[in-house]
Amino acid sequence: MVLSQLGGKITNALKKMANSTVIDESQNFGIIYGNKVDLANMDSGTNKRKIIKQVVFDELCKLVDPGVEPFKPVKGKPNIIMFVGLQGSGKTTTCSKMAYYYKNKGWKTSLVCADTFRAGAYDQLKQNATKAGVSFYGSYTESDPVKAAKDGVTNFTIQDYEIIIVDTSGRHKQEKELFQEMKQISDVIKPNNVVFVMDGSIGQSAYDQALAFHSTVPVGSVIITKLDVKHTKGGGALSAVAATKSPIIFFGSGEHIYDLELFDVKSFVGRLLGYGDFRQLFDKIQDSGIEDKAELYEKMIERGDITLRDMYEQYKALQKMGPMDKIMELIPGFNADLLPKGSGEESQVRIHKYMCIMDSMTNKELDNPKLFDQNSGRISRVARGSGHSITVVKQMLEEHKRFSKVFGAMLKKMKGSKRGGMPNMNQL
Ligand code: GDP
Ligand code: MG
């Protein structure tokens, strides 16, 4: 194991503790910057950049994967799929692509136009339906979108269509009215799946936008469009998933009817990271000084234990690095909204408190925390000196104990089986 990996492990275990989270006691894991990594599968030459990239990669994969099975239509029944999203996001184009996709898979498929507002909506969808080779329902004269949707769905349901896709209009009115209309349509046609379509180029507003739709109609799937457009990162996808708790099922990769691709979490995140300013991320981590603690780790391994002083050094590095949400912000498309509110700051405050307490300890105590077990007067003295209560001092000592229990065993194991060295950050 590379020593700096150990450093990362310890630092982050500390951070987790500061957040009062439970630590996994199994041996084959590492916690680096708050994330678990499988150290068993990493050879000793694995460099830090790779590890961090892997951690960030895994974390982002978790964010675009809500852990919900995507909607699966049922054969031989009408599956009503309603499309929602802002005007211009790509609803009409995408629902046509989806109709084409299902038709090619042998489903009896149809498209319903419920956009009675925008001039040309009817023609656009009708032409697309012809291109896709699927049936179409729409009306030139009907001005009520709810009625148009209902009539279309009824029409295809009685003809035993299996996939009935309903295209709705975007933001042509005041937002409130649009959402009202969307809800009325949904109440009447009772869709089996609501697909939220989002333009891949939108950034920070993605979360609020997705949430607004989801709180009006229960979104079940997300499609991100225009990922083929140059410089489109698609980072808003993370927010859309977080806000709707729904999986991304497809992404749009062009204007043609066949430009629809199945969404794959890993390749999407890989692509997203291609835009990341990783140099900055590494610089920040390197600045924290975690890498320069070879000597400290050597000593810990030698002793087979972690003292309060070791803990202090790790806290110092953590403080320098700043809250996790600030670090994650260096990743494109990442939005601090995706992290639990205040968690970063809370742990910083706790760390600060614990460091103050340790500042009031003697060198002897820092090197030998057992002294506190033998004499409770020491705890009162440190509490007084640091301006914190006895409870907080005890809490800190408890954390140290839990921490040294978990890592002490590992350090003992490492003694005698040391291999590898500190990676050279310049090579990263
Ligand atoms: P709607 O208002 O939500 O129905 O959006 P439209 O389906 O009318 O699409 C708006 C514009 O985006 C059109 O010019 C589409 O051709 C374009 N568009 C939709 N999806 C994609 C895509 O995946 N890639 C590209 N390049 N353009 C797209
Ligand atoms: Mg449209």
Side-chain angles (χ1 to χ4, degrees), residues 79-129:
N79 296 277
I80 300 157
I81 303 168
M82 176 178 169
F83 271 60
V84 299
L86 290 187
Q87 187 160 19
S89 58
K91 286 180 303 300
T92 304
T93 313
T94 310
C95 71
S96 313
K97 290 174 179 178
M98 195 197 235
Y100 181 70
Y101 171 88
Y102 278 117
K103 190 214 84 176
N104 286 340
K105 292 214 170 295
W107 297 73
K108 193 173 173 188
T109 307
S110 59
L111 280 168
V112 174
C113 175
D115 181 353
T116 53
F117 179 82
R118 197 172 65 84
Y122 173 95
D123 291 322
Q124 188 192 359
L125 193 64
K126 191 170 185 194
Q127 278 167 18
N128 284 355

Side-chain angles (χ1 to χ4, degrees), residues 80-352:
I80 300 157
I81 303 168
M82 176 178 169
F83 271 60
V84 299
L86 290 187
Q87 187 160 19
S89 58
K91 286 180 303 300
T92 304
T93 313
T94 310
C95 71
S96 313
K97 290 174 179 178
M98 195 197 235
Y100 181 70
Y101 171 88
Y102 278 117
K103 190 214 84 176
N104 286 340
K105 292 214 170 295
W107 297 73
K108 193 173 173 188
T109 307
S110 59
L111 280 168
V112 174
C113 175
D115 181 353
T116 53
F117 179 82
R118 197 172 65 84
Y122 173 95
D123 291 322
Q124 188 192 359
L125 193 64
K126 191 170 185 194
Q127 278 167 18
N128 284 355
T130 309
K131 270 190 226 157
V134 303
S135 302
F136 169 78
Y137 181 93
S139 166
Y140 255 132
T141 49
E142 181 57 65
S143 61
D144 176 6
V146 181
K147 182 154 192 330
K150 184 171 185 270
D151 290 350
V153 169
T154 310
N155 175 57
F156 287 124
T157 305
I158 53 178
Q159 291 183 67
D160 296 329
Y161 273 81
E162 295 170 298
I163 303 283
I164 305 168
I165 299 175
V166 182
D167 184 23
T168 62
S169 60
R171 189 204 292 261
H172 57 263
K173 300 175 183 170
Q174 285 303 307
E175 201 161 76
K176 213 173 139 198
E177 287 173 50
L178 161 75
F179 281 95
Q180 241 168 25
E181 175 188 299
M182 212 170 65
K183 184 159 177 7
Q184 281 166 1
I185 295 178
S186 167
D187 287 347
V188 167
I189 65 170
K190 298 190 174 42
N192 301 92
N193 191 227
V194 174
V195 177
F196 171 59
V197 178
M198 201 181 76
D199 187 323
S201 65
I202 82 160
Q204 290 296 313
S205 61
Y207 188 84
D208 291 341
Q209 190 193 115
L211 196 63
F213 276 93
H214 187 55
S215 44
T216 310
V217 285
V219 169
S221 310
V222 176
I223 298 183
I224 309 292
T225 58
K226 310 183 195 182
L227 284 189
D228 56 300
V229 177
K230 219 174 168 188
H231 304 305
T232 299
K233 296 173 186 173
L238 307 178
S239 304
V241 171
T244 62
K245 299 182 178 59
S246 303
I248 301 171
I249 47 172
F250 291 105
F251 68 90
S253 56
E255 294 188 78
H256 298 291
I257 197 103
Y258 46 78
D259 289 329
L260 185 71
E261 294 178 42
L262 278 171
F263 184 82
D264 176 64
V265 171
K266 286 191 172 157
S267 53
F268 175 77
V269 171
R271 176 198 140 96
L272 194 60
L273 286 185
Y275 290 100
D277 185 356
F278 269 89
R279 191 67 247 176
Q280 228 197 99
L281 188 65
F282 296 130
D283 284 351
K284 199 153 183 173
I285 290 163
Q286 202 178 347
D287 284 350
S288 73
I290 289 176
E291 314 307 325
D292 310 325
K293 304 218 176 295
E295 216 180 298
L296 182 78
Y297 303 138
E298 294 270 10
K299 276 189 192 153
M300 289 194 298
I301 294 169
E302 204 48 49
R303 280 195 311 266
D305 195 15
I306 290 167
T307 63
L308 285 164
R309 194 190 295 281
D310 300 330
M311 202 157 127
Y312 189 88
E313 288 300 316
Q314 296 289 334
Y315 277 154
K316 229 163 60 185
L318 268 182
Q319 277 220 319
K320 242 175 152 176
M321 211 155 67
M324 185 67 188
D325 46 1
K326 288 282 164 297
I327 294 169
M328 292 297 273
E329 269 171 16
L330 295 173
I331 299 160
F334 190 85
N335 183 328
D337 285 343
L338 305 180
L339 284 175
K341 286 265 174 297
S343 61
E345 262 171 49
E346 211 176 285
S347 80
Q348 294 292 113
V349 169
R350 201 182 302 239
I351 286 170
H352 181 72

Side-chain angles (χ1 to χ4, degrees), residues 367-378:
D367 291 326
N368 184 11
K370 286 200 177 69
L371 289 173
F372 287 100
D373 297 336
Q374 294 149 15
N375 180 350
S376 63
R378 284 184 193 271

